[in-house]
Amino acid sequence: MAANYDYDEAPATYDDANRQELGYDPNFVPDSVKSFVVHLYRHIREKNVYEIHQMYEISFQKLSDRLFKDTPWPSVDAVAHYVDNDQVFCLLYREMWFRHLYARLSPTLKQRIDSWDNYCSLFQVVLHRVVNMQLPNQWLWDMVDEFVYQFQSFCQYRAKMKNKTEQEIALLRQFDQAWNVYGVLNYLQAFVEKSNIIQILEQEKEGIEQFTATDGYDYSGGSNVLKVLGYFSMVGLLRVHCLLGDYQTGLKCLLSIDINQQGVYTSVIGSHITTIYHYGFASLMMRRYVKAIREFNKMLLYIYKTKQYHQKSPQYEQILKKNEQMYALLAICLSLCPQTKLVEETVNSQLREKYGEKMARMQRYDDEAFAIYDELFSYACPKFITPSAPSFEEPLVNYNQDAYRLQLKLFLYEVKQQQLLSGVRTFLKVYSTISLGKLANYMEVDEPTLRTILFSYKHKTHAVDSDGKIISNADVDFYIDDDMIHVVESKPVKRFGDYFLRQIVKLEGVINDMDRIRLE
Amino acid sequence: MVRERETPKQQQQVSYTVEQLVAVNPYNPDILPDLENYVNEQVSSQTYSLDANLCLLRLYQFEPERMSTQIVARILVKALMAMPAPDFSLCLFLIPERVQMEEQFKTLIVLSHYLETGRFRQFWDEAAKNRHIVEAVPALTRGLNAGFEQAIQTYAIHVLSLTYQKIPRPVLAEAINIEGLSLDKFLEHQAANSGWILEKGHGRGQLIVLPRNEFNHPELKKSTADSVPLEHITRIFPILG
């Protein structure tokens, strides 16, 4: 399993010129690194999750910033003897090693392939051997997240065949199993199955199992690794299916996780955001606009309140980026499906600031509107991939944009179908009753055409939810009696039930606090 | 062309196995032939499984050389029949652009477009001009094309029921593509079994009163907005004592 990091043979012909320092020696281990691996190894053996987390989150970042700003960490071979050549630790170290490489440098094709090999070895160990570790959820999430990211990155890289060198093509041909879509999906699926996580979550509802209550950690001497990897793999599967354009299956993979409640997925901010972002995006593509709006609203509010706590974290930039993307998606959803009471004050004012003008233009449904839909969608969408193996026949082409172009095209097609609905909505808001003839006149169409518009309005504003039920999204609705349209105003309903529940719990909290003071 | 039909018992066994495969081992190129057979099963036995069909479209995505455009066309026709569910577009998301450019797919997309935008008359005209595509869902018995037509008529009635309390006969006729005596028979059947009421309009012909639902009768709309799920109430059980 010893990797061969021969940087000399990596051709320097990529977009980011390889900045492999001539001074980089993979075998040189600074003292701080030696100390780092020795302590980390000990903490892992002693299952000291808190210390592991500190070292993983903070120490690793500090050392990377100080010593390895634009070079890789020392090779695993160089540090192995400090950690008893422990196989599992070496696999974990390599995983971090590659992640650092991807983040700071540009991986070569050989490195991409080696990283795949490392994941395979690491995952095989977790799946088929009894692993007696407890690792922090942050680390376990990062593994799954990075695994999917490197897969996405590889597909993008592989799809740009035009400027590939002969060596690269030879390597691609030779290692055709690396990052193949079946492998990626089957590993994620294997984690879900082997960990039994779906049954665990179900049994938890009946009180037979504990998982969420302990944040996935095992306090009875066992390991949390397989279970939590299984849990996060469900999010990983959602993400991969979104990249492929299969939104229905993606949402199905997430069924066992109740996003209306806290859960292990909220224990790591990255996992929380990734889950909701993809859930919302998939819902948008399935035309479940109200669902998407609700989830984006909750997530954006949460980020607004908590982002200050993550300022120093390596995830901060990603958090900000996803935040902006979700605002763009929210703008799209609200333009396609206007709603009045679903968005929180703070989120709404941020939204108006960023996209108020664009939203007004999107609802005009002219050419300019389509350009804005295009712009926002392209900015906010996932980096769709073409999963199939490339064709090595001449002429070599770049097809890395194909998947994105298809999703964009179909999305804009849907937008176009809703083109006339905005016009009819404006009229419905003004009248309580109006005859078909009159409305047709005002809208400058004939009656049969008006009927098709009204049918279309009804169809597009009444979505089919996951149980097959029809739900109305219409903020303005109507019914027709012979040739008379009767407009129905949907009154905004005040939700008293939830309000009272919250106040009851709050009051109880205050009383408990007061009781505690008296006791002291 | 008569195809050997499996006995109903065998049929049930096959579909049970395929559904199991899709649930348990979906990322497996070996199940591709099973999934293709299952599409034909769905067509001949008038059943439908979106998940299995999406699974197959994904496998085609992974290995484009194995794609059968005939099977894909059948999947799309079945998806069309599932309206108002968005299955048709869910399938399109997985079909490469160059395949969608082929004639038969362009036609199917046009048909879907007409249905999505409530243009029923144009839909029936176009469908009549392209019977061979609709018949890509092979007609084993006359009942099968009736299956396609029936499904679209059900969708049309669904949209009409969202929209109209009382609908003039000509509007209904155009939407479901039934006229004259057949329409009379159809209306009688619906009146007897589905609660439709036939009225006389203001000298302009028949008015059909459609069954009341929360979409065409707003007063029936259940105030679900203020209902609180039981799980949330359980939060305060300890407080209530």
Side-chain angles (χ1 to χ4, degrees):
Chain A
M1 197 215 62
N4 191 12
Y5 304 123
D6 280 336
Y7 296 106
D8 308 310
E9 75 182 14
T13 51
Y14 303 107
D15 323 340
D16 286 7
N18 280 335
R19 282 170 284 124
Q20 256 101 36
E21 309 279 287
L22 289 160
Y24 170 66
D25 175 9
N27 294 311
F28 170 62
V29 183
D31 278 337
S32 39
V33 173
K34 171 181 171 193
S35 168
F36 175 82
V37 298
V38 166
H39 282 112
L40 184 59
Y41 177 54
R42 178 164 59 89
H43 291 315
I44 292 179
R45 274 190 357 264
E46 293 172 359
K47 287 177 148 185
N48 192 335
V49 175
Y50 176 77
E51 287 297 334
I52 300 173
H53 187 241
Q54 293 295 102
M55 295 198 70
Y56 174 82
E57 267 273 281
I58 303 173
S59 314
F60 188 79
Q61 290 311 314
K62 277 213 177 107
L63 284 175
S64 296
D65 283 336
R66 209 163 24 103
L67 301 172
F68 306 110
K69 255 203 153 86
D70 42 20
T71 62
W73 275 59
S75 76
V76 72
D77 294 331
V79 302
H81 64 281
Y82 295 124
V83 293
D84 302 335
N85 288 291
D86 184 279
Q87 187 203 10
V88 177
F89 184 88
C90 288
L91 290 171
L92 290 172
Y93 178 85
R94 279 192 87 197
E95 199 265 329
M96 291 165 66
W97 191 96
F98 279 111
R99 205 158 356 111
H100 169 85
L101 182 87
Y102 268 80
R104 311 269 180 150
L105 300 155
S106 253
T108 65
L109 175 53
K110 188 72 180 54
Q111 286 167 335
R112 290 179 189 270
I113 296 171
D114 287 339
S115 180
W116 163 257
D117 279 335
N118 192 56
Y119 274 119
C120 289
S121 305
L122 178 58
F123 290 165
Q124 302 275 8
V125 165
V126 177
L127 285 168
H128 301 300
R129 298 224 314 247
V130 175
V131 156
N132 196 24
M133 294 187 291
Q134 288 249 72
L135 294 178
N137 286 350
Q138 177 75 56
W139 194 345
L140 293 169
W141 162 252
D142 283 344
M143 267 192 234
V144 175
D145 192 38
E146 182 72 13
F147 181 62
V148 176
Y149 166 69
Q150 290 191 14
F151 167 60
Q152 171 196 300
S153 170
F154 184 82
C155 289
Q156 302 281 346
Y157 160 84
R158 183 177 59 178
K160 295 187 225 168
M161 289 299 287
K162 218 156 53 159
N163 295 319
K164 293 271 182 290
T165 66
E166 276 187 38
Q167 290 143 298
E168 287 165 297
I169 295 182
L171 270 179
L172 279 173
R173 279 196 137 116
Q174 184 187 1
F175 294 102
D176 60 350
Q177 286 311 297
W179 296 113
N180 79 96
V181 64
Y182 288 115
V184 172
L185 284 167
N186 279 315
Y187 269 120
L188 293 172
Q189 179 77 358
F191 277 126
V192 174
E193 268 165 39
K194 212 88 205 281
S195 64
N196 224 14
I197 187 64
I198 297 181
Q199 285 84 324
I200 292 177
L201 289 171
E202 267 173 36
Q203 288 175 329
E204 185 173 50
K205 284 197 217 149
E206 298 162 25
I208 307 174
E209 274 274 356
Q210 264 210 329
F211 182 75
T212 311
T214 60
D215 258 352
Y217 292 108
D218 189 312
Y219 292 124
S220 39
S223 161
N224 72 333
V225 173
L226 181 57
K227 269 188 283 189
V228 175
L229 281 178
Y231 182 90
F232 285 137
S233 291
M234 294 194 283
V235 182
L237 282 168
L238 164 62
R239 191 169 157 199
V240 174
H241 282 288
C242 284
L243 291 173
L244 297 172
D246 187 352
Y247 307 106
Q248 161 101 352
T249 311
L251 289 179
K252 267 206 143 158
C253 291
L254 199 69
L255 268 180
S256 300
I257 299 182
D258 181 0
I259 58 168
N260 294 314
Q261 302 209 21
Q262 303 269 15
V264 175
Y265 76 101
T266 54
S267 67
V268 177
I269 183 76
S271 143
H272 193 183
I273 293 179
T274 303
T275 305
I276 300 301
Y277 166 82
H278 287 95
Y279 180 91
F281 187 83
S283 300
L284 160 63
M285 297 304 266
M286 291 184 72
R287 309 187 211 159
R288 295 184 187 158
Y289 301 116
V290 170
K291 268 237 158 77
I293 292 168
R294 283 213 162 98
E295 293 310 318
F296 285 141
N297 174 59
K298 271 194 295 188
M299 188 76 247
L300 290 168
L301 186 63
Y302 182 83
I303 295 178
Y304 181 80
K305 288 186 181 160
T306 60
K307 67 179 174 203
Q308 50 188 308
Y309 304 118
H310 298 278
Q311 260 172 358
K312 302 245 178 71
S313 135
Q315 341 267 344
Y316 193 57
E317 259 183 58
Q318 253 301 304
I319 295 174
L320 292 182
K321 172 106 202 259
K322 278 278 170 292
N323 190 54
E324 293 306 307
Q325 286 177 316
M326 284 191 281
Y327 270 111
L329 293 176
L330 185 57
I332 290 177
C333 289
L334 285 169
S335 301
L336 288 173
C337 176
Q339 299 287 311
T340 40
K341 294 288 172 184
L342 287 186
V343 185
E344 199 81 18
E345 274 284 336
T346 340
V347 174
N348 201 26
S349 63
Q350 292 266 303
L351 181 67
R352 296 287 145 204
E353 223 182 275
K354 296 176 204 277
Y355 292 113
E357 210 202 299
K358 293 199 166 150
M359 281 172 72
R361 286 190 279 165
M362 282 197 280
Q363 292 186 52
R364 270 188 240 141
Y365 287 98
D366 50 18
D367 280 334
E368 207 202 335
F370 289 123
I372 302 179
Y373 274 111
D374 185 327
E375 176 198 327
L376 293 188
F377 183 88
S378 303
Y379 170 68
C381 69
K383 294 216 164 359
F384 303 109
I385 55 173
T386 307
S388 52
S391 152
F392 294 106
E393 289 175 18
E394 297 287 332
L396 297 176
V397 291
N398 283 354
Y399 59 93
N400 56 312
Q401 298 274 12
D402 286 4
Y404 149 74
R405 268 208 306 263
L406 175 62
Q407 301 300 310
L408 173 67
K409 177 176 168 183
L410 292 171
F411 168 72
L412 289 176
Y413 191 69
E414 174 67 29
V415 172
K416 192 144 214 294
Q417 281 179 349
Q418 302 211 24
Q419 194 172 15
L420 282 163
L421 302 189
S422 190
V424 87
R425 185 181 270 116
T426 328
F427 281 104
L428 290 178
K429 281 196 156 142
V430 180
Y431 292 97
S432 55
T433 52
I434 180 171
S435 73
L436 276 165
K438 254 210 198 130
L439 182 55
N441 229 347
Y442 292 154
M443 291 185 67
E444 293 174 6
V445 295
D446 60 19
E447 266 189 57
T449 307
L450 175 61
R451 274 199 299 269
T452 67
I453 295 173
L454 294 173
F455 287 149
S456 187
Y457 183 91
K458 278 289 190 174
H459 168 60
K460 292 293 189 188
T461 58
H462 289 71
V464 183
D465 75 0
S466 44
D467 304 314
K469 272 193 345 197
I470 306 290
I471 310 240
S472 166
N473 294 335
D475 55 341
V476 181
D477 211 344
F478 66 90
Y479 64 88
I480 309 182
D481 186 347
D482 193 1
D483 67 340
M484 211 53 168
I485 303 171
H486 299 258
V487 180
V488 180
E489 254 230 71
S490 63
K491 280 186 282 271
V493 187
K494 263 211 131 135
R495 300 179 68 104
F496 292 114
D498 265 356
Y499 179 78
F500 279 128
L501 273 176
R502 272 203 306 273
Q503 297 304 314
I504 291 172
V505 174
K506 226 182 186 172
L507 177 63
E508 185 67 12
V510 169
I511 293 177
N512 285 338
D513 283 342
M514 293 196 326
D515 275 340
R516 231 177 286 133
I517 295 172
R518 250 193 274 142
L519 285 169
E520 284 164 21
Chain B
M1 283 207 303
V2 181
R3 199 184 61 142
E4 191 68 58
R5 254 185 161 197
E6 288 153 320
T7 64
K9 206 158 174 210
Q10 277 176 312
Q11 266 181 333
Q12 243 197 338
Q13 257 180 355
V14 169
S15 48
Y16 178 72
T17 317
V18 173
E19 293 286 359
Q20 280 261 295
L21 284 175
V22 169
V24 168
N25 193 12
Y27 315 121
N28 176 4
D30 296 336
I31 68 172
L32 193 142
D34 297 290
L35 292 172
E36 286 180 332
N37 289 336
Y38 195 42
V39 173
N40 295 327
E41 261 330 301
Q42 293 172 51
V43 162
S44 62
S45 60
Q46 296 201 22
T47 49
Y48 179 58
S49 170
L50 176 65
D51 287 332
N53 295 348
L54 288 175
C55 188
L56 177 56
L57 289 176
R58 271 200 315 269
L59 293 181
Y60 283 157
Q61 217 192 15
F62 300 165
E63 297 176 79
E65 344 66 74
R66 294 174 78 183
M67 174 186 285
S68 151
T69 50
Q70 201 189 37
I71 298 273
V72 175
R74 287 189 194 148
I75 291 178
L76 285 177
V77 172
K78 288 297 275 180
L80 212 54
M81 289 161 67
M83 285 191 78
D87 297 7
F88 190 84
S89 53
L90 294 182
C91 292
L92 280 188
F93 286 132
L94 295 173
I95 300 172
E97 221 177 316
R98 55 178 167 76
V99 174
Q100 293 189 26
M101 303 286 233
E102 289 176 27
E103 266 323 302
Q104 58 172 336
F105 293 107
K106 279 215 230 157
T107 308
L108 284 168
I109 291 173
V110 165
L111 288 175
S112 156
H113 178 73
Y114 286 149
L115 289 178
E116 286 284 336
T117 53
R119 295 183 168 102
F120 295 111
R121 186 180 53 79
Q122 290 94 318
F123 169 82
W124 292 115
D125 286 345
E126 192 69 25
K129 275 192 261 169
N130 289 284
R131 292 215 77 87
H132 60 285
I133 290 180
V134 170
E135 276 155 16
V137 173
L140 292 178
T141 65
R142 206 176 353 124
L144 196 66
N145 270 338
F148 178 77
E149 280 172 25
Q150 235 163 37
I152 305 300
Q153 283 161 345
T154 306
Y155 165 67
I157 291 171
H158 156 79
V159 176
L160 297 179
S161 304
L162 292 178
T163 316
Y164 275 97
Q165 284 189 355
K166 295 187 189 172
I167 180 171
R169 182 188 166 111
V171 176
L172 173 66
E174 183 181 83
I176 59 176
N177 199 39
I178 308 180
E179 264 295 353
L181 285 175
S182 319
L183 182 55
D184 290 328
K185 264 232 241 9
F186 179 81
L187 289 172
E188 273 168 36
H189 184 263
Q190 293 294 107
N193 297 305
S194 309
W196 290 23
I197 302 173
L198 312 176
E199 272 184 14
K200 263 264 176 328
H202 321 295
R204 266 183 295 133
Q206 253 181 334
L207 267 186
I208 295 99
V209 183
L210 296 173
R212 294 154 63 89
N213 60 60
E214 70 183 89
F215 306 113
N216 63 7
H217 278 77
E219 67 272 15
L220 290 179
K221 194 162 188 174
K222 287 167 253 164
S223 180
T224 49
D226 208 15
S227 59
V228 186
L230 184 59
E231 296 107 56
H232 293 183
I233 306 273
T234 56
R235 265 194 287 152
I236 63 170
F237 278 167
I239 302 174
L240 298 178

